[in-house]
Amino acid sequence: MIEGAQSEVGKHDEKEQVHDVVIGVLLVEPDERSPIAKDEEKRLVRKLDRRIMPMLCILYLLSALDRANLGNARLQGLPRDVLHGDPTGALFDWANSAFYFSYVFFLVPVLILSKLCPPRMWLGCMMIGLGLSSTLMASAFNFPGLIVARLALGFFEAGFSPSFPVYLSLFYTREEFGFRTASWFMFSAVAGAFGGLIAFGIQHIHAAIASWRLLFIVEGVPSILLGILAFKILPDRPEETSLLTEREREIAVDRMNRGGSADVGRVLQKRHIAIAFRDWKLYAGGVTYFAANCALSSIQGFLPTIIASFGFTDAVAQILTVPPYMVAALVLCVTTYASDRLQRRGVFLAGTNAVAGIGYILLLVFPSNVGARYFATFCTVAGTYTNIGLILTWFSHNLGSETKQAAGIPLYMSIGQCGSILGSHLFPSPEAPRYIKGFAVTCGLQFLSVAVALVLATYYVWENRRRDQLYGKPVPEAVVDVSELADEAPDFRYTP
């Protein structure tokens, strides 16, 4: 008992020491702090990369497989077994969109709640829930059962993927953030490629259960196991994690406060939640995210079906979904790396939206040219996935405070995910193979997003110049007091 008590006292003392280090770092003036050598910082970033990035990428890969496997299951007999054949495709559309109803409804409150929990425990539990929901879709025997499983999947996804930008912002500066965001989001595109390969392989397995049921099991069980592993692998906040030494923790906290001032511990600044809901820029971001997610949900739910409508067999269509996803992963990484180096997001976002829009124009203009239509899928998939990565990167460091991130990110995401609901209903089976309505609506949204992105980028440039004139240029990498005004603080500067 004495040893146990001593152990508890030791843990308490360690937490107090960590808190004192954090407070000390935040209160000391920038020029009085311990100098941070570049090689020290590089070693810390490499250590964080080795520990965080592989785990986040694999977690996101499996969660993306769990989200998108309904489109593959459609070609493996799910409508025949569960939806009574579904000749119009309406029941499948509702099953596909059910995920987004719970996702949108729970997004804001769940992500705000996540701010109060240890990140590794939160992400691990959400991942386990995703895996269970995906696996249980294999047990659906009717339409209501499938809907319940998809609603559960949406709930856990609301607490999972949107947490990633907030989590990464604890460890990486805005110059490093874009490429790391692209690295994990790229695995959504990789999941699309893997999903096609896995579905193709399972379709040729002679199992005792239907191929689509086996698909849900094969892609769901690993998610559960990896969620358990996340408890051990992922670090908590920089000021709390035992992964870092005292010196590394000091450097990590300093990095976390560059261009802003981070929260100390798992707290909420309630006034920043109200500031987020009054910020017009988040609603503009919601428009761009709406357009991107309308395209994304239609790609994830219908790309195999769209390619099959070109005249290919279902099995060949599964394989032909792989190249567009692989190209999308490459374009995403190259674009976000360039936007990191130049510290420009809006112009790149406008460009990739235009690429996606051109792809939809090609699908509309060439109704019978298979080569042109297949090339168009490369444009739409690459443009759409890059759009999502850039939007996630753009807003994460432009909100000023952690609490505004926790409220603002799910706010624009919840608006954007309404586009996912729309995209789930734009490609009914009777409109194959041209899908004029689906392609036209999605095309129009891409070019609307081009305009919004340019307006936002122009505003950010103008506002930065205005603050420079009024308050002078801030010291690079200095701590900015955002405790009262978040991103509206005089010394805060946006990434345009």
Side-chain angles (χ1 to χ4, degrees):
M1 292 178 64
I2 293 176
E3 291 179 357
Q6 290 176 339
S7 175
E8 290 300 320
V9 171
K11 291 180 181 177
H12 178 74
D13 290 343
E14 182 180 352
K15 289 181 179 179
E16 290 294 327
Q17 291 171 4
V18 170
H19 186 268
D20 291 342
V21 168
V22 175
I23 295 297
V25 170
L26 293 178
L27 293 180
V28 176
E29 293 297 324
D31 56 353
E32 296 177 358
R33 294 181 185 173
S34 302
I36 297 174
K38 290 294 183 182
D39 58 338
E40 282 185 300
E41 189 167 346
K42 287 180 180 178
R43 283 197 298 271
L44 173 62
V45 172
R46 286 196 296 268
K47 182 176 182 177
L48 292 171
D49 282 342
R50 288 193 300 268
R51 191 64 172 250
I52 294 173
M53 295 311 302
M55 192 65 182
L56 287 190
C57 290
I58 298 172
L59 284 170
Y60 197 69
L61 170 67
L62 294 180
S63 75
L65 285 172
D66 293 339
R67 284 197 313 273
N69 51 20
L70 196 66
N72 298 112
R74 186 182 196 182
L75 298 183
Q76 294 181 335
L78 182 147
R80 180 188 64 248
D81 296 343
V82 176
L83 306 178
H84 307 292
D86 192 24
T88 65
L91 293 179
F92 177 85
D93 290 351
W94 283 111
N96 190 35
S97 61
F99 166 90
Y100 300 106
F101 285 112
S102 55
Y103 186 99
V104 170
F105 184 80
F106 290 105
L107 193 53
V108 174
V110 167
L111 197 56
I112 291 175
L113 178 63
S114 73
K115 184 76 168 55
L116 303 176
C117 301
R120 63 185 178 88
M121 300 299 294
W122 179 267
L123 290 171
C125 289
M126 293 298 106
M127 189 65 191
I128 292 170
L130 278 169
L132 284 171
S133 301
S134 179
T135 304
L136 289 175
M137 281 199 290
S139 65
F141 287 93
N142 54 32
F143 177 66
L146 185 62
I147 290 291
V148 169
R150 292 287 292 177
L151 288 171
L153 195 71
F155 169 80
F156 288 108
E157 181 64 25
F160 184 69
S161 297
S163 301
F164 280 31
V166 179
Y167 182 65
L168 286 177
S169 69
L170 300 176
F171 299 97
Y172 296 103
T173 64
R174 67 175 66 197
E175 292 78 16
E176 302 161 347
F177 188 82
F179 186 71
R180 269 75 181 182
T181 300
S183 296
W184 64 259
F185 187 73
M186 173 188 70
F187 277 78
S188 180
V190 174
F194 269 108
L197 291 173
I198 293 170
F200 179 80
I202 288 177
Q203 197 160 331
H204 290 80
I205 294 177
H206 300 289
I209 61 175
S211 295
W212 64 269
R213 297 186 191 275
L214 184 60
L215 178 68
F216 289 142
I217 295 171
V218 167
E219 294 184 352
V221 171
S223 300
I224 300 172
L225 300 177
L226 201 68
I228 297 172
L229 187 61
F231 296 152
K232 180 67 176 176
I233 300 296
L234 290 177
D236 279 324
R237 296 175 58 88
E239 70 269 25
E240 295 178 345
T241 181
S242 59
L243 171 68
L244 306 179
T245 65
E246 184 174 336
R247 176 58 176 165
E248 289 172 336
R249 191 176 293 118
E250 182 181 348
I251 297 171
V253 171
D254 182 272
R255 285 164 47 83
M256 188 168 57
N257 285 278
R258 290 177 186 173
S261 55
D263 295 336
V264 179
R266 301 187 299 273
V267 298
L268 280 173
Q269 301 183 62
K270 295 180 181 178
R271 59 184 172 276
H272 288 191
I273 298 175
I275 291 174
F277 277 85
R278 294 195 302 266
D279 190 347
W280 70 269
K281 300 184 294 296
L282 286 169
Y283 295 96
V287 173
T288 64
Y289 206 57
F290 183 98
N293 276 283
C294 180
L296 183 66
S297 66
S298 62
I299 288 169
Q300 291 179 337
F302 300 100
L303 184 61
T305 303
I306 290 170
I307 293 178
S309 74
F310 297 170
F312 299 106
T313 65
D314 289 349
V316 172
Q318 302 276 24
I319 289 294
L320 289 178
T321 62
V322 176
Y325 281 117
M326 300 307 294
V327 170
L330 177 62
V331 172
L332 172 62
C333 285
V334 171
T335 304
T336 50
Y337 178 77
S339 74
D340 265 358
R341 294 297 298 270
L342 299 174
Q343 282 298 286
R344 292 290 185 272
R345 313 292 188 196
V347 172
F348 285 98
L349 179 59
T352 53
N353 269 293
V355 169
I358 290 170
Y360 286 108
I361 290 175
L362 293 175
L363 288 168
L364 287 166
V365 171
F366 295 101
S368 57
N369 188 324
V370 173
R373 289 170 72 80
Y374 187 53
F375 171 76
T377 64
F378 283 81
C379 296
T380 58
V381 176
T384 296
Y385 276 88
T386 308
N387 291 343
I388 298 284
L390 286 170
I391 293 169
L392 294 174
T393 302
W394 202 9
F395 286 92
S396 294
H397 276 288
N398 272 353
L399 298 179
S401 71
E402 287 182 43
T403 299
K404 190 174 181 184
Q405 287 179 348
I409 289 174
L411 174 59
Y412 81 74
M413 282 187 171
S414 62
I415 297 170
Q417 290 298 343
C418 293
S420 300
I421 299 173
L422 174 62
S424 300
H425 293 272
L426 288 178
F427 295 88
S429 298
E431 296 187 10
R434 294 201 61 184
Y435 296 111
I436 294 175
K437 178 181 69 178
F439 293 147
V441 170
T442 314
C443 178
L445 287 172
Q446 303 313 301
F447 286 106
L448 172 63
S449 185
V450 170
V452 174
L454 292 176
V455 168
L456 269 174
T458 303
Y459 170 79
Y460 284 140
V461 170
W462 174 82
E463 180 63 16
N464 286 344
R465 290 175 180 172
R466 187 187 71 85
R467 293 183 189 182
D468 286 346
Q469 292 173 355
L470 287 177
Y471 311 111
K473 292 188 176 181
V475 178
E477 299 185 351
V479 174
V480 176
D481 184 6
V482 295
S483 58
E484 292 295 328
L485 299 174
D487 59 297
E488 296 175 7
D491 288 337
F492 184 85
R493 296 296 180 271
Y494 296 105
T495 301

